[in-house]
Amino acid sequence: MSSKVAVVTGSNKGVGFAIVRALCKQFPGDVYLTSRDDSRGQAAVQALEKEGLHPKYHQLDINDHSSIVTLRDFLQTTYGGLDVLVNNAAIACKRELPEPEPDDTPFGEQIEMTCKTNYFATLDVCDVLFPLLRPHARVCNVSSGACKMAFDKISQALKDKLFQPDIEISELSDTVKAFVKAAKNNTHLEEGFTDRGYDFSKLCLNIMTEIHQKEMDKTGKIDVIINSCSPGYVATDMVRNKGDLTIDEGAVTPTYIALLPPNVKEPRGKFLRNKKVANEWKQ
Ligand SMILES: NC(=O)c1ccc[n+]([C@@H]2O[C@H](COP(=O)([O-])OP(=O)(O)OC[C@H]3O[C@@H](n4cnc5c(N)ncnc54)[C@H](OP(=O)(O)O)[C@@H]3O)[C@@H](O)[C@H]2O)c1
């Protein structure tokens, strides 16, 4: 009941898989590889077992609220809490890949699907699992340097709204909903949004990270730290293996955030690249 536990979302392949591999080597507790599809997850666990590592497994589809609740209940019963959460699962629609592919899915639906997984489902995971976080817990939201492209494209009015010092999650979520609605009406550009769902969802994930740290500090929970990061440009399916980093190199900064030692003063509620705080995404 008292052993420590770490969970990595979307970890059957890519950067998430390598984060599990790194945590299995460095985290003093049980590490859960999770996947939306059981067979893909079990195959990934077997691959790590062949390396002499011992990840545990639980199903998790972050788009399915009941799947998140099932995981929460399991963690509560088995461990009585949670020590590390890595929100890694995400998608990019075909139109936004390094070599874009044609996609018959209407533009607004592509934006909706991307924001659903990368923003709303990640928020749902936080809402359901945060109450389990124990003192000294660490949360890493795997974001992207692409958030800077969204920042550069959106209107000043939207920047003023998103970067108010006291913005709350409800207002941030309303803005993401407004983006999806505008994309469906094809008014996204005139309303000051960008035309890329991935970049905007990651921009809002960074802002969510800042808000969550402030909220967490107000709860009085001891030394719970939430950061986001770019893994770098990593050769994975998401970018058609174009990236210049291996998945293990991509896992370095997320793993660093997940393993920040007790009572560090910084980074807290920040966006990191290469293990360093980076502020250019909002400048
Ligand atoms: N690769 C890069 O260069 C790069 C750059 C910047 C940021 N990132 C970020 O790094 C993270 C990992 O990306 P990656 O490159 O490793 O991509 P990837 O190889 O496509 O892996 C994405 C993972 O997320 C899972 N996933 C997607 N939707 C899910 C859902 N609803 N529930 C649970 N799991 C879900 C996928 O599962 P399935 O196998 O079932 O699809 C897969 O395991 C993402 O947050 C991505 O945005 C990547």
Side-chain angles (χ1 to χ4, degrees):
M1 188 80 171
S2 61
S3 66
K4 287 187 172 240
V5 59
V7 168
V8 184
T9 71
S11 46
N12 54 290
K13 67 178 183 178
V15 175
F17 177 79
I19 296 169
V20 170
R21 179 191 270 145
L23 288 177
C24 282
K25 293 176 184 171
Q26 299 174 54
F27 176 72
D30 290 344
V31 181
Y32 276 81
L33 186 153
T34 67
S35 65
R36 54 181 161 180
D37 177 272
D38 266 332
S39 57
R40 288 199 285 272
Q42 297 290 0
V45 167
Q46 280 171 21
L48 290 174
E49 278 171 350
K50 281 192 189 140
E51 298 176 16
L53 302 173
H54 303 290
K56 301 210 172 262
Y57 176 74
H58 203 285
Q59 193 273 346
L60 177 64
D61 180 343
I62 66 167
N63 282 334
D64 175 359
H65 181 73
S66 67
S67 166
I68 305 171
V69 169
T70 301
L71 175 64
R72 183 214 42 213
D73 293 347
F74 168 80
L75 291 168
Q76 179 66 57
T77 306
T78 314
Y79 296 93
L82 177 62
D83 301 286
V84 167
L85 171 64
V86 181
N87 284 310
N88 167 80
I91 60 164
C93 59
K94 291 182 193 161
R95 221 185 88 258
E96 299 180 5
L97 293 174
E99 283 170 9
E101 269 179 32
D103 189 347
D104 291 341
T105 313
F107 173 74
E109 282 178 36
Q110 294 179 28
I111 298 288
E112 184 172 42
M113 281 160 50
T114 309
C115 290
K116 182 178 178 197
T117 301
N118 299 3
Y119 177 82
F120 289 108
T122 302
L123 177 60
D124 198 19
V125 171
C126 294
D127 286 344
V128 175
L129 296 187
F130 274 14
L132 291 188
L133 293 175
R134 284 194 268 247
H136 312 293
R138 303 292 179 249
V139 177
C140 173
N141 295 324
V142 183
S143 182
S144 168
C147 56
K148 169 68 173 155
M149 288 192 270
F151 181 85
D152 287 346
K153 277 191 187 170
I154 62 174
S155 67
Q156 189 58 48
L158 207 47
K159 283 179 194 157
D160 292 345
K161 190 174 188 182
L162 288 171
F163 291 94
Q164 306 162 62
D166 54 354
I167 184 171
E168 295 187 352
I169 290 291
S170 57
E171 197 168 4
L172 180 62
S173 295
D174 284 348
T175 307
V176 183
K177 283 180 200 155
F179 173 45
V180 172
K181 190 173 171 202
K184 287 186 167 179
N185 292 334
N186 206 23
T187 55
H188 49 287
L189 294 180
E190 68 196 68
E191 291 185 45
F193 292 104
T194 161
D195 59 355
R196 290 176 57 94
Y198 181 84
D199 305 356
F200 192 72
S201 66
K202 295 294 190 179
L203 178 73
C204 293
L205 180 61
N206 282 8
I207 299 169
M208 183 203 298
T209 303
E210 294 183 335
I211 300 171
H212 274 164
Q213 182 69 68
K214 284 185 203 156
E215 285 182 350
M216 190 60 72
D217 291 345
K218 283 187 199 150
T219 66
K221 277 205 185 183
I222 299 163
D223 187 33
V224 174
I225 300 186
I226 304 157
N227 289 293
S228 62
C229 69
S230 162
Y233 192 30
V234 188
T236 66
D237 287 348
M238 182 176 279
V239 297
R240 299 155 179 269
N241 290 300
K242 296 274 179 226
D244 45 22
L245 301 180
T246 65
I247 56 170
D248 295 306
E249 289 167 335
V252 168
T253 299
T255 306
Y256 168 78
I257 289 172
L259 297 176
L260 282 170
N263 304 313
V264 289
K265 298 279 174 271
E266 285 291 334
R268 300 171 52 87
K270 298 282 170 26
F271 172 73
L272 281 74
R273 64 167 74 241
N274 296 325
K275 302 204 284 185
K276 297 231 158 38
V277 173
N279 288 319
E280 83 285 350
W281 64 276
K282 53 178 179 176
Q283 287 166 355

